[in-house]
Amino acid sequence: MLAVQLCPNDHPPFLDVCMGHARALALCGYRVRTIFFASTGRAASTGRAASTGRADSQSLDTRESGESTEVVAAENVADVLAERPDLLVTHRYRAYRAGIRLARRLGIVEHVAVAHEFGFFARARRRWRRRLLGDGGCRFAGVSDAVAEDLARCRVAAPLVLPNPLAADRLRGNLRSRTGARAELGLSANDFVIGVVGRLHPKKDPGRALRAFGRFRQAHPRARLVFVGDGELRPDLERAAGAGVTFAGFRADGRELLTAFDVLLACATEREAFGLALLEALAADVPVICADRPGPRFVLGDCATYFDGDDELLRALQSAAEGRLDGDRLARPARIERLFSVEALADRYRSALATPVGVHGLC
């Protein structure tokens, strides 16, 4: 059996997410072909190009289970498929729209569209298009319970939950030592280090982390705040940053450096649908302080310390500095294995694909 998955790009974290889905589908007995859409100039004139550098960095992982990755212009996907897939998995809205056309053209019966953000059908034009053209019996899935509920509010019948998977043992095996990770980030052994990992984007509210750190550092001069990630808010944050703040930028080895942190801080907004960095922190056994939002809570469960207001955030940071954070650290490995492992995702696929396609309500 052949499964093809489509994704608009292989930018972080989507390469790793797609590779996790590919490994899960391989456990279900599928040969898996993952296609990322080429941006302008990346595809060859034939519409097909070799894998990107990021995909190449994962080539050993993909070959282990007979998976393949490639970059293809979105309009040429059907032309490069020599056989009709038994299953089509599409990630994000752009791939879903291309998948609808591909399924109709090739007669693909099983199509699962994965929503990685809230608002998959928030735009009126998207709802109108689905109402007019239908979705061909496509099954929809959210990466968290909250995203699945968001889909249901748009009259998607019985949306699935297909969380982003994590190969936790592989991550743990690649972690740097605490000393090595701190040296890489220019931190000393005696610093109390707060890490913020992810895009510097409004939905993650990194400005709140910066403001809270400014207050916290008044009583903790050895405290350091390290942003690992890049994004549109970086210039404003750099202008506002005071002493003790480091901007490490995007790091391909960011997950390997989690051991540098005494605590990971996530000031997520309601728009945060999941939080892969939070899952990686659980696997690396790094304590987490997180804004109490549905998407992150789906990932963290009882394994983190939550806050609402800024005063609660400061108290949580103080508790972290004193080594007395809430959060069930002993439950972390079992939670990851039960909900977010590749094997757990494979079980969710088996359950979903064993159920006949139902009639989906239209927006």
Side-chain angles (χ1 to χ4, degrees):
M1 296 187 298
L2 174 64
V4 170
Q5 58 176 342
L6 307 180
C7 188
N9 61 63
D10 59 356
H11 302 163
F14 287 103
L15 174 62
D16 291 328
V17 168
C18 288
M19 292 303 94
H21 277 262
R23 285 189 284 269
L25 290 167
L27 290 177
C28 296
Y30 288 93
R31 292 176 293 114
V32 185
R33 188 170 177 181
T34 300
I35 297 175
F36 299 102
F37 295 164
S39 57
T40 303
R42 279 180 67 186
S45 59
T46 60
R48 183 172 182 172
S51 298
T52 66
R54 283 180 293 271
D56 286 344
S57 70
Q58 297 283 325
S59 59
L60 177 60
D61 296 344
T62 61
R63 281 198 293 263
E64 285 173 357
S65 13
E67 305 145 19
S68 68
T69 63
E70 58 203 290
V71 177
V72 175
E75 63 272 19
N76 294 327
V77 171
D79 298 332
V80 302
L81 294 177
E83 60 180 300
R84 182 177 65 190
D86 300 282
L87 170 65
L88 178 65
V89 179
T90 54
H91 298 271
R92 309 186 76 181
Y93 185 81
R94 184 184 171 204
Y96 155 71
R97 287 301 309 153
I100 290 293
R101 293 190 295 270
L102 184 68
R104 286 174 178 153
R105 178 174 173 179
L106 300 184
I108 302 170
V109 175
E110 293 280 8
H111 177 192
V112 177
V114 184
H116 290 264
E117 304 286 349
F118 294 110
F120 198 78
F121 288 115
R123 298 178 186 175
R125 184 174 182 179
R126 293 183 179 183
R127 296 194 299 273
W128 172 84
R129 181 183 289 122
R130 182 174 179 234
R131 200 162 38 233
L132 181 66
L133 303 177
D135 54 35
C138 176
R139 304 166 191 254
F140 294 91
V143 293
S144 64
D145 287 343
V147 177
E149 290 165 4
D150 184 62
L151 289 169
R153 284 191 290 272
C154 200
R155 298 178 62 194
V156 169
L160 310 170
V161 179
L162 296 176
N164 294 327
L166 180 71
D169 289 343
R170 187 171 301 179
L171 182 147
R172 295 186 192 105
N174 290 329
L175 288 172
R176 310 274 184 92
S177 68
R178 179 180 175 88
T179 300
R182 291 201 164 195
E184 185 70 27
L185 294 171
L187 305 168
S188 74
N190 296 324
D191 291 334
F192 175 74
V193 183
I194 304 164
V196 176
V197 179
R199 283 191 303 151
L200 302 181
H201 185 276
K203 76 174 182 179
K204 298 181 181 293
D205 202 1
R208 188 179 192 185
L210 186 64
R211 293 189 298 272
F213 176 75
R215 293 174 61 187
F216 178 75
R217 199 171 191 270
Q218 293 175 12
H220 299 271
R222 296 290 306 181
R224 297 288 298 274
L225 177 66
V226 179
F227 289 99
V228 179
D230 218 333
E232 62 196 76
L233 296 182
R234 180 169 178 172
D236 292 338
L237 293 168
E238 288 181 325
R239 282 191 291 269
V245 181
T246 298
F247 291 87
F250 169 74
R251 298 281 307 233
D253 60 349
R255 69 185 61 181
E256 300 172 16
L257 303 176
L258 288 169
T259 45
F261 306 141
D262 291 290
V263 64
L264 186 81
L265 174 59
C267 296
T269 69
E270 293 286 350
R271 295 172 59 195
E272 181 65 86
F274 188 84
L276 190 58
L278 305 178
L279 183 56
E280 292 169 347
L282 290 190
D285 199 28
V286 176
V288 177
I289 297 174
C290 186
D292 195 358
R293 303 291 183 257
R297 187 175 273 277
F298 172 80
V299 175
L300 297 166
D302 295 329
C303 300
T305 299
Y306 296 98
F307 67 89
D308 283 316
D310 289 347
D311 289 343
E312 287 185 5
L313 169 53
L314 285 172
R315 286 195 293 270
L317 290 173
Q318 180 63 40
S319 295
E322 297 170 359
R324 53 180 184 83
L325 273 183
D326 298 330
D328 190 347
R329 297 183 71 173
L330 296 179
R332 292 175 180 180
R335 181 174 184 81
I336 294 170
E337 183 66 25
R338 178 171 57 88
L339 296 176
F340 304 110
S341 65
V342 171
E343 291 77 12
L345 181 59
D347 286 341
R348 288 177 183 264
Y349 268 116
R350 291 188 191 101
S351 177
L353 296 174
T355 304
V357 179
V359 178
H360 295 266
L362 299 181
C363 297

